[in-house]
């Protein structure tokens, strides 16, 4: 793994900020690295306020969307809330439907079947709407490329409002309103909302028409925070505000569905807990059964019913875990059998693989070989794949370069989905490898860990810890600060832990003075280094460990390098 340091900010900016905030230079450095250079910017960062949310009407078509929803409510039209089957989509549907159901009895929800309909707006969903006399569909976390589907709906006298955040094509659908801050002609100041965030902006715009303030919308923010964490969008600007208040809801008064998943295992949950505990279970419903189970869980307001629904979701998640482990094993064996360990990309296929877990398998393979990865399986008479990428490499652009072999694709820089004809698989695989080989820089082929600062263990003071906690919620563009400390040794407490002894537990010290418990997940290969008392340099984040109700400080090791004698 490559260790690289983030560029050191201008010392004058660091000194000025440290003085104005009465913090040490380490904290000031971390803030300037995050683009926070003034007292007011620091105030906004440390004290997020709902007052700082942008006017929703700055988003293109928001006036049209509000007018169309108000007209539908006034005329008692039947409204369908339609969303994708992943976390962002199901939380979006839960948010929008629960808001509208307080205003009308004519609200229904629809999540497409992952296998029968595929991603995004489907003709089956539109036909269902037509059969049930729906005249307005609000599509969330999808729709920005559904030109033909919206045209089909229009012939049936069904209007669409699209609330999406994916990258648009040159042409957008002819809908009643298209809300997507990534449209080139949309002047909305913040471009990185998730789908649920765009949905929230719509209810924020609707709220004053029903004498509701922004504070009345706070109970919905646990859904928005969950989507922000799961969809890996930057935790900056509005996302930071929404995630902060959403986490407060989750910790103080979560909806019964989220409460039932969390089971009160911790005193205080972070957005990381949501990403690794709530999100996989919500996703598991769409992967293994149907996304509507997730929507139902998130809109139940009876705690006993929520516990029963959460147990069912847990079952889906266990089934998902079993499938993804077995398929990952088969995929790794396929790579070795085909002698493809040394390619620039991973492209694997088996018609029997479960479509619901190929995205997870792609992530696992990326962790193993650290290169752009596609996992294909059979989907009807076509092949469907999930794509995952590595830092700096835009897999969306790579797929675009292979578009001659693709029926359809969509996604982001680091994750995408696509469909191809089975006969095209060999040609596509060859073309994708060629594109990756020609565009992948050598330094991108090795995992990199970016270090914020070098510190001594003596600099980890109670005040520093208190301030670092206020950097939360962590996520893209506000990652957990990463430090390096040099010339460390173990105090003799090192041991291998975990079901398969794959993790490392130690007590590290610097100069025999400051001692801290350290945990290294998946780092048992460094056991002998520490056991033999070799001095080493370590990259880590400062973490808190909660065990049996007690919270203690620990260093979460990210990598270790032995010091050559």
């Amino acid at each position: 793994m490559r260790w690289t340091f983030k560029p050191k900010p201008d010392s004058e900016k660091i000194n000025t900020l440290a003085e104005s905030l009465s913090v040490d230079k380490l904290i000031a450095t971390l803030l300037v690295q995050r683009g926070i250079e003034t007292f007011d910017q620091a105030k906004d960062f440390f004290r997020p306020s709902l007052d700082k949310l942008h006017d929703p009407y700055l988003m293109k078509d928001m006036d049209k969307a509000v007018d169309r929803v108000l007209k539908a409510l006034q005329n008692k039209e039947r409204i369908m809330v339609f969303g994708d089957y992943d976390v962002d989509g199901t939380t979006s549907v839960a948010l929008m439907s629960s808001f509208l159901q307080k205003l009308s009895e004519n609200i229904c929800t629809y999540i497409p079947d992952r296998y029968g309909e595929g991603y995004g707006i489907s003709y089956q969903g539109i036909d269902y709407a037509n059969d049930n006399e729906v005249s307005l569909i609000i599509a969330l976390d999808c729709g920005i490329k559904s030109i033909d589907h919206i045209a089909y709906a229009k012939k049936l006298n069904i209007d669409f409002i699209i609330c999406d955040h994916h990258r648009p094509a040159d042409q957008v659908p002819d809908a009643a309103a298209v809300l997507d801050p990534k449209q080139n002609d949309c002047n909305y100041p913040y471009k990185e909302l998730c789908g649920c965030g765009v949905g929230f902006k719509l209810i924020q715009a609707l709220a004053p028409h029903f004498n509701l303030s922004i504070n009345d919308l706070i109970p919905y923010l646990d859904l928005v925070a969950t989507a922000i964490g799961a969809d890996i969008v930057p935790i900056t600007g509005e996302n930071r505000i929404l995630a902060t208040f959403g986490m407060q809801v989750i910790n103080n008064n979560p909806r019964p569905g989220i409460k039932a998943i969390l089971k009160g295992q911790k005193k205080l949950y972070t957005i990381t807990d949501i990403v690794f505990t709530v999100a996989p279970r919500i996703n598991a419903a769409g992967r293994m059964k149907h996304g509507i189970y997730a929507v139902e869980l998130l809109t139940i307001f009876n705690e006993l019913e929520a516990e029963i629904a959460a147990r069912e979701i847990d079952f889906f998640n266990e089934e998902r875990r079993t499938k993804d482990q077995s398929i990952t094993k088969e995929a790794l064996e396929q790579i070795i059998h085909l002698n493809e360990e040394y390619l620039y990309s991973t492209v694997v296929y088996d018609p029997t693989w479960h479509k619901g877990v190929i995205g997870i398998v792609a992530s696992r393979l990326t962790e193993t070989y650290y290169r752009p990865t596609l996992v294909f399986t059979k989907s009807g008479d076509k092949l469907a794949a999930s794509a995952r990428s590595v830092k700096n490499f835009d897999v969306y652009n790579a797929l675009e370069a292979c578009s001659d072999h693709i029926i359809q694709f969509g996604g982001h820089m680091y994750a995408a989905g696509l469909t191809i004809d089975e006969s095209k698989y060999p040609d596509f695989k060859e073309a994708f490898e060629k594109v990756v080989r020609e565009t992948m820089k050598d330094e991108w082929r090795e995992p990199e860990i970016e270090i914020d600062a070098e510190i001594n263990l003596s600099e980890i003071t109670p005040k520093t810890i208190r301030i670092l906690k206020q950097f939360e919620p962590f996520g893209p563009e506000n990652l957990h600060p990463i430090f390096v400390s040099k010339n460390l040794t173990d105090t003799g407490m090192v041991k291998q832990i975990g079901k398969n002894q794959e993790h490392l537990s130690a007590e590290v010290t610097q100069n025999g003075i400051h001692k801290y418990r350290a945990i290294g997940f998946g780092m048992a290969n460094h056991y002998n280094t520490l056991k033999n008392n070799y001095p080493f340099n370590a990259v880590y984040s400062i973490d808190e460990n909660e065990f049996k109700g007690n919270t203690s400080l620990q260093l979460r090791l990210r990598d270790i390098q032995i010091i050559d004698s």
Side-chain angles (χ1 to χ4, degrees):
M1 183 177 290
R2 288 185 299 128
W3 293 11
T4 59
F5 281 88
K6 291 181 181 176
K8 183 119 185 222
D10 180 74
S11 58
E12 189 174 333
K13 289 180 180 178
I14 293 170
N15 293 335
T16 301
L17 188 61
E19 187 176 344
S20 67
L21 297 178
S22 298
V23 297
D24 60 34
K25 290 183 181 179
L26 172 61
I27 296 295
T29 299
L30 296 174
L31 290 170
V32 176
Q33 283 172 332
R34 285 156 177 73
I36 298 154
E37 300 180 358
T38 68
F39 181 89
D40 287 340
Q41 288 173 335
K43 182 182 176 184
D44 288 344
F45 181 77
F46 286 121
R47 300 287 180 269
S49 169
L50 293 171
D51 294 336
K52 296 287 185 176
L53 293 176
H54 299 301
D55 180 350
Y57 284 96
L58 294 174
M59 194 176 293
K60 181 179 183 247
D61 278 5
M62 184 60 78
D63 53 344
K64 295 178 183 177
V66 169
D67 288 346
R68 185 63 187 90
V69 173
L70 293 177
K71 177 187 172 187
L73 293 172
Q74 184 178 356
N75 294 337
K76 299 187 178 346
E77 294 179 54
R78 193 152 173 77
I79 302 172
M80 175 192 281
V81 181
F82 186 111
D84 189 27
Y85 39 69
D86 68 2
V87 177
D88 196 8
T90 52
T91 52
S92 297
V93 170
L95 175 138
M96 186 61 64
S97 63
S98 56
F99 177 80
L100 293 176
Q101 281 164 359
K102 292 183 177 179
L103 307 172
S104 169
E105 295 178 349
N106 299 312
I107 309 298
C108 64
T109 58
Y110 192 94
I111 302 288
D113 179 79
R114 189 180 198 115
Y115 309 109
E117 298 169 71
Y119 168 79
I121 295 168
S122 65
Y123 290 112
Q124 293 97 314
I126 296 169
D127 288 340
Y128 178 87
N130 187 49
D131 291 344
N132 288 273
E133 300 181 343
V134 168
S135 52
L136 174 62
I137 298 175
I138 302 175
L140 298 128
D141 189 35
C142 59
I144 195 63
K145 290 187 174 181
S146 300
I147 293 169
D148 293 341
H149 292 87
I150 274 65
Y152 174 71
K154 205 164 190 177
K155 290 179 182 176
L156 299 174
N157 295 315
I158 299 172
D159 284 337
F160 259 91
I161 294 172
I162 294 170
C163 301
D164 206 347
H165 70 119
H166 295 98
R167 205 185 302 182
D170 293 337
Q171 182 184 356
V172 297
D174 183 19
V178 178
L179 306 180
D180 187 335
K182 288 194 174 79
Q183 293 181 87
N184 289 333
D185 55 350
C186 178
N187 295 318
Y188 193 72
Y190 190 72
K191 303 292 185 181
E192 301 301 331
L193 294 169
C194 61
C196 194
V198 176
F200 181 81
K201 297 309 293 188
L202 177 53
I203 70 169
Q204 184 189 351
L206 287 165
H209 293 276
F210 303 98
N211 296 316
L212 298 172
S213 70
I214 190 65
N215 290 326
D216 294 313
L217 304 182
I218 290 175
Y220 298 97
L221 291 180
D222 54 355
L223 295 170
V224 183
T226 300
I228 286 170
D231 223 51
I232 321 178
V233 290
I235 308 235
T236 56
E238 279 198 311
N239 282 343
R240 180 170 174 81
I241 298 169
L242 296 170
T244 299
F245 281 86
M247 290 309 304
Q248 289 175 11
V249 175
I250 286 171
N251 278 299
N252 297 317
N253 189 27
R255 62 191 55 234
I258 290 178
K259 184 179 180 181
I261 292 175
L262 292 171
K263 301 173 187 171
Q265 295 174 41
K266 297 184 75 171
K267 287 181 186 174
L268 191 68
Y269 294 99
T270 67
I271 203 160
T272 304
D273 296 315
I274 302 307
V275 170
F276 287 102
T277 305
V278 177
R281 285 161 174 79
I282 294 173
N283 258 332
R287 292 182 190 281
M288 309 311 299
K289 192 73 172 179
H290 198 287
I292 201 66
Y293 285 84
V295 175
E296 289 170 355
L297 174 69
L298 295 171
T299 52
I300 289 172
F301 289 95
N302 177 286
E303 293 206 356
L304 181 59
E305 290 177 10
E307 287 172 10
I308 294 169
R311 281 198 293 272
E312 190 169 24
I313 293 278
D314 265 338
F315 173 77
F316 297 150
N317 192 48
E318 285 302 317
E319 187 183 2
R320 183 273 308 167
R321 192 175 291 164
T322 301
K323 290 278 188 191
D324 94 57
Q325 287 172 351
S326 64
I327 293 171
T328 298
K329 183 172 179 287
E330 290 173 18
L332 289 169
E333 289 170 353
Q334 185 179 127
I335 293 166
I336 293 168
H337 175 72
L338 295 173
N339 196 27
E340 294 180 343
E341 300 102 306
Y342 305 107
L343 296 180
Y344 277 64
S345 66
T346 295
V347 181
V348 289
Y349 162 58
D350 189 294
T352 67
W353 288 342
H354 196 292
K355 188 180 175 185
V357 299
I358 57 174
I360 300 171
V361 173
S363 296
R364 302 258 192 265
L365 298 180
T366 304
E367 290 168 10
T368 303
Y369 286 105
Y370 201 73
R371 60 197 190 190
T373 298
L374 284 87
V375 179
F376 279 90
T377 190
K378 192 89 169 172
S379 180
D381 61 345
K382 308 295 181 189
L383 300 191
S386 279
R388 296 292 183 269
S389 195
V390 296
K391 187 175 179 181
N392 296 314
F393 188 84
D394 193 326
V395 73
Y396 184 94
N397 286 346
L399 293 175
E400 203 162 38
C402 302
S403 58
D404 287 350
H405 308 286
I406 298 173
I407 296 171
Q408 62 179 18
F409 72 98
H412 309 281
M413 178 174 180
Y414 293 120
L418 64 151
T419 305
I420 67 172
D421 284 320
E422 188 168 13
S423 61
K424 292 279 190 179
Y425 177 74
D427 291 339
F428 169 82
K429 182 171 180 173
E430 183 180 340
F432 186 75
E433 169 68 15
K434 184 173 185 290
V435 169
V436 176
R437 188 177 289 271
E438 290 174 352
T439 56
M440 171 79 82
K441 293 183 180 179
D442 287 341
E443 60 266 29
W444 296 354
R445 300 187 68 203
E446 184 182 0
E448 174 191 34
I449 186 160
E450 275 196 310
I451 299 164
D452 291 82
E454 179 183 342
I455 64 172
N456 293 319
L457 296 187
S458 60
E459 295 178 69
I460 305 174
T461 65
K463 182 180 179 182
T464 302
I465 300 304
R466 284 197 305 273
I467 298 175
L468 284 178
K469 280 182 68 65
Q470 294 176 52
F471 277 55
E472 294 184 16
F474 294 120
E477 297 187 31
N478 181 41
L479 295 172
H480 212 303
I482 300 293
F483 304 109
V484 62
S485 292
K486 296 183 175 177
N487 201 27
L488 306 181
T489 54
D490 178 67
T491 64
M493 303 286 286
V494 65
K495 56 185 176 181
Q496 293 170 281
I497 60 173
K499 184 178 179 182
N500 299 308
Q501 302 286 287
E502 68 271 37
H503 309 310
L504 195 70
S505 174
E507 183 181 68
V508 300
T509 183
Q510 193 174 41
N511 304 320
I513 303 172
H514 299 278
K515 299 176 183 178
Y516 287 101
R517 182 178 184 273
I519 184 82
F521 293 105
M523 292 179 61
N525 57 308
H526 293 289
Y527 172 76
N528 287 330
T529 296
L530 275 64
K531 182 70 175 173
N532 293 324
N533 208 32
Y534 294 128
F536 61 90
N537 303 331
V539 175
Y540 60 89
S541 56
I542 300 171
D543 207 353
E544 283 188 331
N545 178 48
E546 188 175 312
F547 184 68
K548 293 184 177 178
N550 296 315
T551 302
S552 59
L553 178 69
Q554 68 180 8
L555 309 184
R556 181 168 180 182
L557 300 173
R558 306 301 178 104
D559 197 20
I560 285 173
Q561 289 180 355
I562 191 168
I563 299 173
D564 294 329
S565 55

